[in-house]
């Protein structure tokens, strides 16, 4: 089976190198995938342990290869559905009225509208290094917010090592790197520089603690009385205007996926490391979190508290599209910006 897997990898590399032969290479990949599934089934039948994961992935590989070379009978219907989804998404986007959320005195977007009281929340999104800058840019483009609004967004800057970066509210990867999924932030700009510095700071933060890097808002290993995982805006303190208020160290794998647009090799190595500590499940990566820092001694040469590293077995839906977007951008040189 190992020989078939290596052969599959080589054939796939050949297909990428010679896209004009993709049809022929695709047929070859399908044959090899079928062999891998047969070997996997035979292996699972012989072992005493649970080999369901191996067989599931082998079957998934075969299905994917077969789907890639076959023309779906309902291709026209699928195209119509995609076109309809595109129009619905456009209508939803342009149907939003950001003027409802605009604080007229501060010229900033409120964090929400209190329907029961019939008034805006007093707090506003007031930082440029925030995921909300995507809404700000779209609101200005639609004419729902004045151009002045963009310049009302705060730009506090901190010197970090040999560079400098805009500070965000909580120092999370999400605040810096979600907007560049769809916004082209020009190289050399303050935003682009801040995103790159933020990733490097996050990498150093993990290295200094002997753990994988990538801190961002996420669920973590604490539950309420109904056994629901809790959620918190985790971040790296030196990037944050407001400290997180918790001593837990929580690593969010989707933060690494976001960082692949800036440090792709480091991101792949970090995901490999998280897989080795058991964070990769059947559906996706889960969030690993340590014990509270005062109770968790540093281990410079290995994982921090590796024997007691709890894994949050939850797969929220909202990080998945971000992971898909960045995987597509990093591996296939595509973009949705």
């Amino acid at each position: 089976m190992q020989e078939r897997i290596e052969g599959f990898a080589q054939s796939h590399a050949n297909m990428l190198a010679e896209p004009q032969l993709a049809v022929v290479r695709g047929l070859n990949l399908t044959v090899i995938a079928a062999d891998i599934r047969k070997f996997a089934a035979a292996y699972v039948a012989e072992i005493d342990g649970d080999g369901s994961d191996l067989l599931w992935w082998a079957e998934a590989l075969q299905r994917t290869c077969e789907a890639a070379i076959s023309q779906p009978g309902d291709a026209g219907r699928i195209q119509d559905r995609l076109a309809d989804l595109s129009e619905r998404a456009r209508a939803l986007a342009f149907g939003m009225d950001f003027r409802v959320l605009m604080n007229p005195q501060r010229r900033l977007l409120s964090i929400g509208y209190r329907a029961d009281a019939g008034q805006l929340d007093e707090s506003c999104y007031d930082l440029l290094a925030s995921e909300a800058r995507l809404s700000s840019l779209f609101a200005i483009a639609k004419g729902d917010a004045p151009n002045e609004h963009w310049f009302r967004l705060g730009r506090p800057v901190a010197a970090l090592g040999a560079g400098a970066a805009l500070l965000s509210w909580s120092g999370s990867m999400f605040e810096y790197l979600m907007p560049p999924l769809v916004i082209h932030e020009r190289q050399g700009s303050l935003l682009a520089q801040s995103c790159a510095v933020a990733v490097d700071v996050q990498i150093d933060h993990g290295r200094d603690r002997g753990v994988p890097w990538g801190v961002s808002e996420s669920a973590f290993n604490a539950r309420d009385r109904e056994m629901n995982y809790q959620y918190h805006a985790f971040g790296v303190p030196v990037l944050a205007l407001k400290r997180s208020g918790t001593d837990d160290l929580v690593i969010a794998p989707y933060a690494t996926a976001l960082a692949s647009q800036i440090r792709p090799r480091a991101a792949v190595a970090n995901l490999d490391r998280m897989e080795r500590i058991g964070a990769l499940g059947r559906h996706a990566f889960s969030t690993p979190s340590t014990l509270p820092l005062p109770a968790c001694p540093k281990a410079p040469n290995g994982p921090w508290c590796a024997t007691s590293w709890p894994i949050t077995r939850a797969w929220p839906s909202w990080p998945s599209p971000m992971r898909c977007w960045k995987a597509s951008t990093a591996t296939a040189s595509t973009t949705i910006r």
Side-chain angles (χ1 to χ4, degrees):
M1 186 166 63
Q2 182 63 35
E3 291 180 359
R4 293 297 192 281
I5 293 174
E6 292 173 355
F8 185 94
Q10 183 59 54
S11 295
H12 183 255
N14 292 338
M15 184 178 71
L16 295 179
E18 300 174 318
Q20 69 275 15
L21 300 176
V23 174
V24 176
R25 300 293 188 190
L27 291 169
N28 186 41
L29 288 175
T30 303
V31 172
I32 299 175
D35 287 343
I36 292 174
R37 187 196 62 78
K38 291 177 184 177
F39 279 112
Y43 175 75
V44 170
E46 293 177 1
I47 63 174
D48 295 330
D50 181 15
S52 59
D53 270 3
L54 173 63
L55 187 56
W56 188 91
W57 283 110
E59 291 173 346
L61 177 65
Q62 183 179 9
R63 289 195 301 270
T64 300
C65 290
E66 289 175 347
I69 64 172
S70 61
Q71 177 70 23
D74 56 353
R77 184 175 64 85
I78 292 175
Q79 290 175 350
D80 291 341
R81 285 186 61 195
L82 290 175
D84 179 60
L85 278 174
S86 174
E87 289 302 317
R88 287 173 58 194
R90 182 179 178 84
L92 285 171
F94 282 90
M96 291 186 290
D97 187 353
F98 289 92
R99 291 174 295 182
V100 175
L101 295 172
M102 181 60 66
N103 183 306
Q105 286 76 38
R106 301 178 63 185
R107 299 287 190 183
L108 293 169
L109 292 174
S110 170
I111 66 171
Y113 180 80
R114 297 179 181 271
D116 55 347
Q119 63 184 25
L120 292 175
D121 195 292
E122 293 182 0
S123 299
C124 294
Y125 288 107
D126 58 357
L127 291 178
L128 185 60
S130 163
E131 72 279 9
R133 70 179 180 271
L134 177 57
S135 296
S136 293
L137 188 65
F138 187 56
I140 293 170
K142 284 178 78 259
D144 291 349
N147 292 347
E148 176 193 359
H149 165 60
W150 186 258
F151 301 99
R152 288 294 186 107
L153 297 173
R155 293 160 168 79
V157 177
L160 298 168
L166 291 164
L167 294 179
S168 68
W169 185 247
S170 63
S172 70
M173 201 80 86
F174 180 70
E175 293 169 297
Y176 288 95
L177 299 184
M178 189 279 281
L181 288 171
V182 293
I183 297 176
H184 180 65
E185 294 175 344
R186 295 187 179 278
Q187 291 297 319
S189 68
L190 180 59
L191 275 173
Q193 176 181 321
S194 296
C195 290
V197 170
V199 173
D200 292 339
V201 167
Q202 291 250 2
I203 292 173
D204 291 341
H205 181 263
R207 182 185 301 116
D208 291 344
R209 289 155 181 77
V211 300
W213 52 270
V215 181
S216 199
E217 55 186 76
S218 69
F220 65 109
N221 197 51
R223 299 175 186 258
D224 60 19
R225 65 182 62 185
E226 296 178 352
M227 298 303 292
N228 297 310
Y229 281 118
Q230 298 302 285
Y231 190 89
H232 189 79
F234 296 100
V236 173
V238 296
L239 293 171
L241 279 177
K242 181 181 182 296
R243 300 301 172 93
S244 68
T246 176
D247 288 329
D248 290 342
L249 178 61
V250 176
I251 309 301
Y254 84 88
T256 300
L258 288 176
S260 66
Q261 60 190 304
I262 293 176
R263 299 287 183 264
R265 293 183 183 276
V268 170
N270 199 49
L271 291 173
D272 286 342
R273 187 175 181 186
M274 279 188 272
E275 180 180 2
R276 291 196 297 272
I277 65 172
L280 179 61
R282 172 174 293 183
H283 305 292
F285 279 94
S286 302
T287 298
S289 55
T290 70
L291 297 172
L293 299 190
C296 190
K298 184 176 180 181
N301 298 320
W304 216 354
C305 294
T307 58
S308 56
W309 192 310
I311 305 294
T312 305
R313 298 297 180 189
W315 295 275
S317 60
W318 62 270
S320 298
M322 294 189 292
R323 284 193 292 259
C324 291
W325 279 334
K326 293 326 302 175
S328 174
T329 301
T331 61
S333 300
T334 59
T335 181
I336 59 170
R337 292 172 179 164

Tab-separated table of all heavy atoms in Angstrom, residues 209 211 247 249 290-299 303-306 308-309:
chain	number	residue	atom	x	y	z
A	209	ARG	N	7.001	29.230	24.054
A	209	ARG	CA	6.289	28.400	25.024
A	209	ARG	C	6.360	26.918	24.693
A	209	ARG	O	5.782	26.091	25.393
A	209	ARG	CB	4.829	28.856	25.117
A	209	ARG	CG	4.709	30.205	25.819
A	209	ARG	CD	3.469	30.976	25.442
A	209	ARG	NE	3.442	32.265	26.152
A	209	ARG	CZ	4.165	33.328	25.818
A	209	ARG	NH1	4.983	33.263	24.769
A	209	ARG	NH2	4.097	34.440	26.522
A	211	VAL	N	5.035	25.316	22.171
A	211	VAL	CA	3.760	24.768	21.712
A	211	VAL	C	3.533	25.182	20.263
A	211	VAL	O	4.199	26.081	19.750
A	211	VAL	CB	2.587	25.295	22.577
A	211	VAL	CG1	2.767	24.901	24.025
A	211	VAL	CG2	2.466	26.814	22.449
A	247	ASP	N	-5.850	33.032	31.789
A	247	ASP	CA	-4.481	32.522	31.734
A	247	ASP	C	-4.375	31.260	30.886
A	247	ASP	O	-3.293	30.682	30.775
A	247	ASP	CB	-3.979	32.215	33.156
A	247	ASP	CG	-3.694	33.484	33.949
A	247	ASP	OD1	-3.309	34.484	33.318
A	247	ASP	OD2	-3.860	33.468	35.178
A	249	LEU	N	-3.944	28.950	27.695
A	249	LEU	CA	-3.295	29.064	26.387
A	249	LEU	C	-4.024	28.137	25.431
A	249	LEU	O	-4.004	26.917	25.592
A	249	LEU	CB	-1.820	28.667	26.484
A	249	LEU	CG	-1.028	28.702	25.178
A	249	LEU	CD1	-1.020	30.101	24.594
A	249	LEU	CD2	0.393	28.217	25.395
A	290	THR	N	-4.145	24.239	26.629
A	290	THR	CA	-3.361	23.769	27.758
A	290	THR	C	-4.108	24.009	29.049
A	290	THR	O	-5.176	24.602	29.099
A	290	THR	CB	-2.027	24.520	27.867
A	290	THR	OG1	-2.304	25.862	28.266
A	290	THR	CG2	-1.284	24.522	26.567
A	291	LEU	N	-3.496	23.563	30.129
A	291	LEU	CA	-3.951	23.951	31.454
A	291	LEU	C	-3.659	25.432	31.656
A	291	LEU	O	-2.888	26.021	30.911
A	291	LEU	CB	-3.209	23.134	32.515
A	291	LEU	CG	-3.429	21.621	32.486
A	291	LEU	CD1	-2.470	20.963	33.475
A	291	LEU	CD2	-4.857	21.276	32.828
A	292	PRO	N	-4.277	26.060	32.664
A	292	PRO	CA	-3.916	27.442	32.962
A	292	PRO	C	-2.412	27.593	33.133
A	292	PRO	O	-1.743	26.723	33.699
A	292	PRO	CB	-4.656	27.733	34.264
A	292	PRO	CG	-5.826	26.812	34.220
A	292	PRO	CD	-5.322	25.558	33.544
A	293	LEU	N	-1.861	28.687	32.624
A	293	LEU	CA	-0.416	28.855	32.565
A	293	LEU	C	0.304	28.701	33.904
A	293	LEU	O	1.357	28.077	33.960
A	293	LEU	CB	-0.089	30.230	31.961
A	293	LEU	CG	-0.597	30.453	30.535
A	293	LEU	CD1	0.009	31.728	29.976
A	293	LEU	CD2	-0.265	29.289	29.635
A	294	PRO	N	-0.203	29.247	35.027
A	294	PRO	CA	0.551	29.096	36.269
A	294	PRO	C	0.739	27.647	36.687
A	294	PRO	O	1.695	27.308	37.374
A	294	PRO	CB	-0.323	29.845	37.288
A	294	PRO	CG	-1.097	30.812	36.477
A	294	PRO	CD	-1.384	30.093	35.186
A	295	ALA	N	-0.192	26.755	36.251
A	295	ALA	CA	-0.101	25.353	36.633
A	295	ALA	C	0.583	24.511	35.576
A	295	ALA	O	0.659	23.304	35.696
A	295	ALA	CB	-1.507	24.800	36.889
A	296	CYS	N	1.082	25.163	34.543
A	296	CYS	CA	1.598	24.432	33.394
A	296	CYS	C	3.039	24.822	33.117
A	296	CYS	O	3.293	25.840	32.484
A	296	CYS	CB	0.725	24.738	32.176
A	296	CYS	SG	1.079	23.688	30.765
A	297	PRO	N	4.016	24.063	33.590
A	297	PRO	CA	5.424	24.448	33.432
A	297	PRO	C	5.869	24.414	31.985
A	297	PRO	O	5.384	23.623	31.188
A	297	PRO	CB	6.162	23.392	34.261
A	297	PRO	CG	5.240	22.217	34.267
A	297	PRO	CD	3.852	22.778	34.284
A	298	LYS	N	6.782	25.287	31.662
A	298	LYS	CA	7.302	25.387	30.303
A	298	LYS	C	8.248	24.242	30.004
A	298	LYS	O	9.063	23.857	30.833
A	298	LYS	CB	8.015	26.726	30.123
A	298	LYS	CG	8.515	26.964	28.707
A	298	LYS	CD	9.130	28.351	28.594
A	298	LYS	CE	9.643	28.606	27.181
A	298	LYS	NZ	10.250	29.930	27.062
A	299	ALA	N	8.145	23.697	28.804
A	299	ALA	CA	9.036	22.637	28.355
A	299	ALA	C	9.659	23.086	27.046
A	299	ALA	O	9.085	22.909	25.985
A	299	ALA	CB	8.268	21.330	28.166
A	303	PRO	N	6.301	19.737	23.643
A	303	PRO	CA	4.996	20.351	23.891
A	303	PRO	C	4.814	20.701	25.361
A	303	PRO	O	5.302	20.015	26.243
A	303	PRO	CB	4.007	19.262	23.454
A	303	PRO	CG	4.792	18.387	22.542
A	303	PRO	CD	6.203	18.411	23.051
A	304	TRP	N	4.120	21.749	25.577
A	304	TRP	CA	3.814	22.196	26.933
A	304	TRP	C	2.699	21.322	27.480
A	304	TRP	O	1.626	21.208	26.915
A	304	TRP	CB	3.337	23.627	26.875
A	304	TRP	CG	3.752	24.481	28.013
A	304	TRP	CD1	4.405	24.109	29.148
A	304	TRP	CD2	3.544	25.886	28.109
A	304	TRP	NE1	4.624	25.187	29.950
A	304	TRP	CE2	4.102	26.284	29.342
A	304	TRP	CE3	2.955	26.836	27.297
A	304	TRP	CZ2	4.081	27.611	29.769
A	304	TRP	CZ3	2.935	28.141	27.724
A	304	TRP	CH2	3.492	28.525	28.938
A	305	CYS	N	2.920	20.674	28.619
A	305	CYS	CA	1.901	19.831	29.238
A	305	CYS	C	1.342	18.824	28.231
A	305	CYS	O	0.132	18.656	28.116
A	305	CYS	CB	0.767	20.658	29.811
A	305	CYS	SG	1.264	21.698	31.181
A	306	ALA	N	2.225	18.174	27.480
A	306	ALA	CA	1.763	17.277	26.416
A	306	ALA	C	0.904	16.144	26.945
A	306	ALA	O	0.000	15.663	26.263
A	306	ALA	CB	2.967	16.705	25.668
A	308	SER	N	-1.224	16.281	29.310
A	308	SER	CA	-2.532	16.730	29.789
A	308	SER	C	-3.112	17.805	28.868
A	308	SER	O	-3.796	18.708	29.320
A	308	SER	CB	-2.407	17.270	31.215
A	308	SER	OG	-1.444	18.305	31.269
A	309	TRP	N	-2.805	17.708	27.594
A	309	TRP	CA	-3.271	18.706	26.627
A	309	TRP	C	-4.674	18.327	26.182
A	309	TRP	O	-4.872	17.423	25.375
A	309	TRP	CB	-2.338	18.729	25.432
A	309	TRP	CG	-2.545	19.895	24.511
A	309	TRP	CD1	-3.724	20.310	23.977
A	309	TRP	CD2	-1.552	20.782	24.027
A	309	TRP	NE1	-3.527	21.409	23.180
A	309	TRP	CE2	-2.194	21.721	23.195
A	309	TRP	CE3	-0.173	20.878	24.215
A	309	TRP	CZ2	-1.519	22.731	22.547
A	309	TRP	CZ3	0.503	21.882	23.570
A	309	TRP	CH2	-0.153	22.797	22.746
